[in-house]
Amino acid sequence: RIPQVSYRPAMGTLRTCLCTLIWVHGLVDAIESRRPWFPEPVPNVTVIVGKDALLTCVVQDLHNFKVAWVRVSTQTILSIHHRMVTENARITLSYNDHRTWFLHIRNVQETDRGWYMCQINTEPMTSQKGYLQVVVPPKMIEEESSMDLIVKEGSDMVLQCKAQGYPEPYIMWRREDGLNINYNGIEVNVVDGEKLMIRKISRLHMGYYLCVASNGVPPTRSKRINVTVHFPPMLMIPNQLEGARIGVYSKLECYTEANPPSINYWTNERGDMIVSGSKFLDDKIRTGYVCKMILRISNISTEDFSSYRCVAVNALGETDGIIKLYEITTAVESSNEVLLEGENYKYSVNVTEVTDYLDETTGAIYDNVTSYVSSSHTLAHSFVSYLILLSIKENLLNIV
């Protein structure tokens, strides 16, 4: 006879194991459903070089997992949870309730530019990253930029200006005085580019130019370059003939342009240099490259009526001009008898004629200063004729 065996205790154990497995599976599912996650991305950060940067990583449901910061480009671990790994003293870590993790970078350098990863040691790893942009304001590269320039009029001029920064700076040129630039025949206010090239430069191009570099990162930088144009003297005389009366005052004027500034002086008809004194006063008024020469002559005498020469000399050349000072005199001639014969009458008319005596060389009539009136003696003759006709008319009326 085969004895009967009871399976009831074994079935109970099996049920217990099965329930345990189901509970463990449910627990695992619950844990899996609560694994850490990122409620928001790591924001990209832009900072000016030398300033401080702050990268932020927000983690939800961290539990017993750990957070680490990693430099992506070099795969360098910067921190693991509460502990700093990097030896870079500029980088530190802080956190808030194990939810918000901050990576601090002080005195940011250009080498800090790049991606930074915030990761959690889950399986598989959970991570996200943010970009640190480091911008650099413009800086002039002095050794590759033009200095103050001296150029001869009529030659070509090239100014160069270079700058560095991030993003790459944009460069433009303008005049410091705000005037337009005559850019190869075109009037413009600004010229773009590292080089400013002007062909056949003239004295009008002379002045200070500003090279301005900007890239949207303050402050904007500029370099000031002085352009000096050299040219030989040029002379202009407003009036080459000047009239004056004896005993009065007169002045002669010349205008010169020269750079380098010219040596300016006056000479008389004999070629002797005129020196300021009681008779002559030599004034010079300079404005930029223009010089106004004024020779003042006081208490004019007969000996002063002559030719005067204004001279301008610099290292590039010499020029001169002549001004003639002539005498203006007035005389009265009376008792000029003019006889006119009619049919039965003869008339004798006494008139007074006023005549300006002129410089015999020019034959021109002038007023008491320098203004031009007429040529030859036509004015005096017309005046005499008018007086004669007027007298005839009055005599005829008396006869009638």
Side-chain angles (χ1 to χ4, degrees):
R1 184 180 179 183
I2 300 173
Q4 294 182 350
V5 180
S6 176
Y7 293 97
R8 289 182 180 177
M11 292 298 293
T13 302
L14 182 61
R15 287 194 192 96
T16 301
C17 291
L18 183 59
C19 289
T20 301
L21 288 174
I22 293 172
W23 180 82
V24 169
H25 185 269
L27 179 62
V28 169
D29 287 343
I31 293 174
E32 284 292 326
S33 65
R34 296 184 59 192
R35 64 180 289 144
W37 56 286
F38 299 111
E40 57 187 72
V42 175
N44 296 329
V45 176
T46 299
V47 63
I48 298 175
V49 65
K51 302 295 184 181
D52 296 342
L54 180 66
L55 295 168
T56 304
C57 179
V58 179
V59 181
Q60 194 72 30
D61 299 330
L62 183 60
H63 303 297
N64 293 324
F65 293 98
K66 299 182 184 300
V67 175
W69 281 100
V70 178
R71 177 76 185 269
V72 176
S73 60
T74 59
Q75 291 297 306
T76 304
I77 298 176
L78 304 176
S79 69
I80 297 177
H81 216 52
H82 301 157
R83 183 169 63 90
M84 292 300 302
V85 177
T86 181
E87 295 182 355
N88 190 337
R90 295 185 298 109
I91 301 177
T92 57
L93 178 74
S94 66
Y95 51 89
N96 183 12
D97 295 332
H98 287 74
R99 183 176 185 273
T100 306
W101 300 79
F102 301 101
L103 186 68
H104 303 263
I105 305 177
R106 293 183 293 104
N107 189 23
V108 170
Q109 305 298 311
E110 285 194 79
T111 54
D112 297 326
R113 184 185 296 118
W115 291 99
Y116 288 80
M117 179 184 293
C118 173
Q119 61 180 223
I120 306 171
N121 63 335
T122 56
E123 185 60 40
M125 180 187 69
T126 304
S127 67
Q128 63 175 355
K129 58 185 180 180
Y131 193 83
L132 174 61
Q133 179 63 277
V134 181
V135 294
V136 183
K139 180 183 178 181
M140 293 296 175
I141 307 176
E142 293 292 339
E143 58 271 18
E144 298 183 32
S145 301
S146 297
M147 305 298 288
D148 290 349
L149 185 66
I150 298 176
V151 60
K152 190 175 181 180
E153 190 170 43
S155 59
D156 296 342
M157 178 192 75
V158 179
L159 297 180
Q160 179 171 287
C161 185
K162 288 199 173 183
Q164 61 186 9
Y166 192 89
E168 183 178 355
Y170 155 78
I171 294 178
M172 70 174 186
W173 295 87
R174 63 180 178 85
R175 288 185 62 116
E176 187 181 53
D177 55 16
L179 298 177
N180 286 340
I181 300 174
N182 188 332
Y183 187 61
N184 302 320
I186 304 174
E187 293 288 330
V188 296
N189 189 254
V190 297
V191 177
D192 298 329
E194 292 183 347
K195 290 186 178 181
L196 174 63
M197 177 180 290
I198 299 178
R199 299 189 182 278
K200 296 183 178 180
I201 194 170
S202 75
R203 65 197 68 181
L204 299 178
H205 289 102
M206 190 157 27
Y208 286 95
Y209 289 78
L210 292 179
C211 159
V212 182
S214 60
N215 63 353
V217 183
T220 297
R221 299 293 184 183
S222 64
K223 179 177 175 62
R224 187 172 183 250
I225 301 174
N226 184 23
V227 175
T228 303
V229 181
H230 280 182
F231 52 92
M234 174 186 293
L235 188 143
M236 295 160 286
I237 301 177
N239 297 302
Q240 290 184 299
L241 293 174
E242 292 285 355
R245 288 185 169 84
I246 292 177
V248 299
Y249 152 90
S250 185
K251 68 177 181 178
L252 311 180
E253 293 183 355
C254 282
Y255 291 84
T256 65
E257 295 183 4
N259 200 40
S262 57
I263 298 173
N264 296 43
Y265 59 92
W266 294 85
T267 63
N268 58 25
E269 201 166 38
R270 297 185 302 272
D272 300 329
M273 184 181 296
I274 298 175
V275 181
S276 293
S278 58
K279 168 63 77 172
F280 299 100
L281 180 60
D282 184 4
D283 282 344
K284 298 178 183 67
I285 303 173
R286 294 187 183 272
T287 306
Y289 54 80
V290 178
C291 178
K292 181 180 180 181
M293 301 173 60
I294 305 174
L295 181 63
R296 306 180 191 275
I297 309 172
S298 60
N299 193 23
I300 292 177
S301 62
T302 304
E303 293 77 15
D304 298 326
F305 296 112
S306 179
S307 295
Y308 295 85
R309 181 168 166 259
C310 52
V311 183
V313 182
N314 73 359
L316 300 178
E318 176 180 347
T319 187
D320 60 37
I322 296 176
I323 301 177
K324 185 175 180 60
L325 181 64
Y326 64 88
E327 181 182 3
I328 299 177
T329 59
T330 302
V332 177
E333 296 179 0
S334 59
S335 300
N336 287 321
E337 185 175 73
V338 180
L339 299 177
L340 298 177
E341 293 185 5
E343 293 180 347
N344 299 315
Y345 303 96
K346 177 187 280 189
Y347 302 98
S348 178
V349 180
N350 293 326
V351 299
T352 298
E353 179 181 348
V354 179
T355 305
D356 280 346
Y357 284 85
L358 313 176
D359 184 284
E360 294 181 356
T361 305
T362 61
I365 293 180
Y366 289 77
D367 62 10
N368 60 350
V369 189
T370 59
S371 302
Y372 179 76
V373 178
S374 179
S375 62
S376 77
H377 295 281
T378 304
L379 180 63
H381 288 220
S382 299
F383 182 64
V384 173
S385 300
Y386 171 76
L387 292 177
I388 293 172
L389 293 175
L390 185 61
S391 298
I392 292 173
K393 180 179 179 182
E394 290 177 353
N395 289 335
L396 288 174
L397 290 174
N398 291 333
I399 294 172
V400 174

